[in-house]
Amino acid sequence: MIPLLLQPESHVPLYVQLRDQIRALIHGGDLRPGARIPASRELATQLGVHRTTVANAYAELESEGLISGHVGRGTFIRGDGVKKISAVPHPTSADGGLRWESLFADERGEEILSRLTQAAPRGSVSFVMARPAAEFFPIEELRKCSNAVWRREGTEILQFGPSDGYPPLKQALVGMLRSEGYEAGDENLLITDGCQQALDLVCKAFLRPGDTVLLENPAYPGALAIFTGARARILGVPVNSESGPGKTPGVDVSAIEAVLVQNRVKMMVLTPDFHNPTGTTLPVAERRRLLEIAARFQVPVIEDHIYARLRARGERVPSLKQLDRSNLVVQIDSFSKIAFPGMRVGWIVAPSNVIERLRLVKQSTDLHTGHLAQAILAEYVRRGLLGRHLERTRKAYSGRLAALEQALGRHMPSGTKWTRPEGGMCVWVELPPGFDSNELSIHTRERGVVFAPGRYFYFQNPQPNTLRLGFAGVAEREIARGIATLADVLRAEMRKRQRGARRAEVARVALV
Ligand SMILES: Cc1ncc(COP(=O)(O)O)c(C=O)c1O
């Protein structure tokens, strides 16, 4: 029997563990050329794993030239295998250089985000991104904060530091969170490079390949990229985009319950406030129901709180973390939407044992987030400047949201619907049935207007007639111009369709 020990609780997929262990046994001489190794079915039974796990490991070892299978005879260690590894050069390209593409690991969903980050043509009105307005960036204030921290703590900034965060920033954030009613202490806080990294850390800390994660569908593509990359099984729950009498906006909590009844779900990742891409906010009663369900099934909730402080109107709704009485919520948050995304700083609020685990994962990922950005932001928060900046930008974004709604109401043809967010950065538009926003975007791009087609955000049942408008970074007059053009192009497409339908009708009548 070959000495193999697989660790199901490891982050490393079982077939990779198996492949690597057999490879080491071959190179170490424990498995000699000509030796027969068990058939995949037999080894799978011995190890208590699925047969495909062994088959996948064998397939990779065979492609490396280390083993070879013979129908009816079995699988053998190749005599020339070890030599072959060192003797055969990597494939070359036509010009004789190294063919890098042949060496890349499997693509793991990394391209999902890049669709959204494509540059908009110069001079166009771009609704593509959900990002802050650059004209409010307080360069002078930040320069003063930066000068102060260099003078006072330059040595600490330049030295390695703690993985859970630069202490002055942690203190400033604990102060901010307490003033908002959170019961968080230093031990409940981890500084990250933003929510994107927080998702990655959570993923590394909790998920094994094949574990099930529940996400809103549609969802923020960065979350999809992370969980796809981790080989998780992703289950989607619809988001109700309509509000009004008898309608409950936000993620469908009954659908969450139905998924939890039928599946063993490791965690849910939700954005209850100003959801990206739909802009919807989950009402407080639904938040309580969601937490009751999460507690009943003992499934943790990762609450993406990145937009929550950007309320433009309506009553503030307590976060899941604030309502949580069962220690089930891990809240991820960031300076990206409320301040400056380029600083790449965010944080996680969680039970202390979760923070400790995440701290270790963060340490092995990047040691710690850069001190300079943390120190400047700490000073910025301490001086009360973040609060002022937030007030200013919130007012501006609320004006932009109103301008967008007015323009949509004025210009869009009947049959078009859109969400009524109470804040955040996105409005979700539903075109009349049968229209494809991807096609529409080709025509609007030619006329200098760009947006994000809805299909970028779906991982199940894509609705091609949807699109997202990110409004926070677009000035009011640009919004008016952009929406007028979008509506104009949509009407032209509608007319084209009507003409096409009429021609088809005439042809049908002529045939009859
Ligand atoms: C819902 C959501 N989560 C996370 C992120 C990533 O945020 P950060 O810049 O903090 O990494 C974004 C950015 O657009 C987002 O919309």
Side-chain angles (χ1 to χ4, degrees):
M1 202 152 146
I2 336 178
L4 296 165
L5 180 67
L6 299 188
Q7 294 180 313
E9 68 283 359
S10 159
H11 313 295
V12 182
L14 288 175
Y15 85 93
V16 175
Q17 294 182 40
L18 186 58
R19 177 199 67 193
D20 292 352
Q21 288 182 31
I22 296 178
R23 191 199 284 129
L25 289 169
I26 296 171
H27 286 303
D30 297 290
L31 286 173
R32 300 202 162 268
R36 186 176 180 280
I37 53 173
S40 55
R41 190 190 301 275
E42 192 187 332
L43 187 57
T45 311
Q46 279 174 23
L47 295 170
V49 296
H50 199 274
R51 190 178 163 199
T52 47
T53 303
V54 182
N56 287 342
Y58 279 11
E60 298 215 349
L61 292 166
E62 190 153 12
S63 74
E64 292 175 18
L66 289 173
I67 64 173
S68 61
H70 302 271
V71 179
R73 286 206 293 133
T75 301
F76 298 88
I77 309 300
R78 281 179 64 159
D80 55 349
V82 181
K83 243 190 326 158
K84 189 170 180 283
I85 284 282
S86 49
V88 176
H90 288 302
T92 52
S93 59
D95 64 2
L98 180 60
R99 194 147 59 81
W100 285 101
E101 291 73 14
S102 69
L103 302 180
F104 291 159
D106 299 352
E107 192 275 314
R108 294 184 174 201
E110 292 87 355
E111 94 298 351
I112 294 176
L113 254 184
S114 60
R115 290 186 297 210
L116 262 187
T117 50
Q118 278 165 14
R122 258 180 172 275
S124 56
V125 179
S126 177
F127 295 106
V128 174
M129 307 288 280
R131 65 180 181 188
E135 62 271 31
F136 294 104
F137 288 161
I139 310 282
E140 191 48 33
E141 283 176 4
L142 288 166
R143 196 178 60 76
K144 287 185 182 147
C145 290
S146 175
N147 286 344
V149 298
W150 276 121
R151 263 197 307 275
R152 198 175 55 223
E153 22 187 308
T155 312
E156 288 85 345
I157 288 170
L158 293 176
Q159 191 51 278
F160 280 121
S163 300
D164 56 325
Y166 190 60
L169 180 60
K170 289 193 75 183
Q171 277 158 24
L173 283 176
V174 166
M176 182 178 99
L177 289 168
R178 292 229 168 114
S179 75
E180 292 173 345
Y182 286 83
E183 287 167 13
D186 184 76
E187 69 286 3
N188 303 115
L189 200 60
L190 177 92
I191 305 296
T192 68
D193 289 2
C195 279
Q196 187 66 22
Q197 186 184 53
L199 289 167
D200 192 38
L201 299 177
V202 163
C203 185
K204 286 176 172 165
F206 288 97
L207 292 188
R208 299 184 191 116
D211 277 352
T212 302
V213 186
L214 184 151
L215 295 186
E216 291 130 334
N217 182 43
Y220 162 58
L224 281 179
I226 294 283
F227 296 112
T228 306
R231 306 251 196 264
R233 174 173 168 244
I234 307 174
L235 293 180
V237 170
V239 179
N240 303 316
S241 50
E242 293 192 38
S243 46
K247 306 258 167 57
T248 309
V251 69
D252 185 336
V253 176
S254 300
I256 292 184
E257 186 172 19
V259 169
L260 297 192
V261 167
Q262 294 188 359
N263 299 272
R264 200 178 158 80
V265 172
K266 192 74 180 280
M267 62 169 69
M268 336 183 204
V269 181
L270 303 171
T271 307
D273 295 276
F274 319 129
H275 170 247
N276 178 9
T278 64
T280 54
T281 291
L282 192 66
V284 66
E286 288 300 281
R287 292 180 191 222
R288 292 209 163 93
R289 195 156 79 89
L290 170 69
L291 288 171
E292 181 275 310
I293 292 167
R296 185 151 32 95
F297 289 90
Q298 285 295 291
V299 176
V301 185
I302 312 303
E303 177 184 34
D304 191 333
H305 197 246
I306 194 164
Y307 294 103
R309 290 182 183 81
L310 294 177
R311 177 163 283 283
R313 59 191 177 208
E315 287 269 307
R316 202 185 75 80
V317 186
S319 69
L320 293 176
K321 185 80 199 153
Q322 285 170 319
L323 294 170
D324 177 26
R325 295 286 163 265
S326 315
N327 251 357
L328 281 169
V329 178
V330 170
Q331 187 180 73
I332 64 172
D333 213 329
S334 174
F335 285 105
S336 283
K337 309 287 170 167
I338 56 171
F340 327 114
M343 295 278 226
R344 305 308 307 137
V345 180
W347 63 95
I348 302 178
V349 186
S352 57
N353 51 348
V354 175
I355 289 294
E356 175 50 17
R357 173 84 183 129
L358 291 168
R359 183 186 72 78
L360 294 171
V361 176
K362 165 90 179 155
Q363 189 168 45
S364 70
T365 301
D366 65 354
L367 301 184
H368 61 75
T369 295
H371 277 163
L372 183 56
Q374 293 192 67
I376 293 174
L377 285 167
E379 186 69 12
Y380 192 71
V381 174
R382 227 175 9 230
R383 291 184 181 197
L385 297 173
L386 177 66
R388 273 186 18 207
H389 178 72
L390 196 46
E391 267 321 298
R392 203 179 311 138
T393 48
R394 209 166 22 200
K395 225 181 258 164
Y397 300 163
S398 124
R400 289 173 183 195
L401 175 57
L404 178 56
E405 289 179 330
Q406 200 185 20
L408 287 166
R410 178 177 304 161
H411 299 293
M412 287 308 239
S414 64
T416 314
K417 295 192 251 177
W418 54 91
T419 51
R420 314 279 163 165
E422 295 188 337
M425 294 185 165
C426 333
V427 167
W428 186 244
V429 178
E430 223 179 284
L431 303 173
F435 279 89
D436 185 334
S437 69
N438 215 29
E439 266 172 42
L440 193 73
S441 76
I442 298 168
H443 301 297
T444 60
R445 182 173 271 266
E446 285 164 3
R447 305 237 341 237
V449 177
V450 283
F451 57 81
R455 68 175 74 215
Y456 290 2
F457 306 91
Y458 284 104
F459 52 99
Q460 286 166 0
N461 311 322
Q463 305 294 314
N465 62 327
T466 54
L467 59 98
R468 186 190 75 174
L469 298 172
F471 60 83
V474 194
E476 287 179 30
R477 59 178 187 291
E478 297 284 277
I479 288 176
R481 181 161 74 85
I483 297 304
T485 306
L486 174 61
D488 208 30
V489 173
L490 180 57
R491 279 180 207 286
E493 288 303 303
M494 287 172 126
R495 281 195 298 273
K496 250 195 250 167
R497 269 182 179 223
Q498 277 160 1
R499 280 199 298 273
R502 269 202 300 273
R503 268 201 297 272
E505 177 63 11
V506 170
R508 198 184 63 79
V509 171
L511 276 176
V512 172

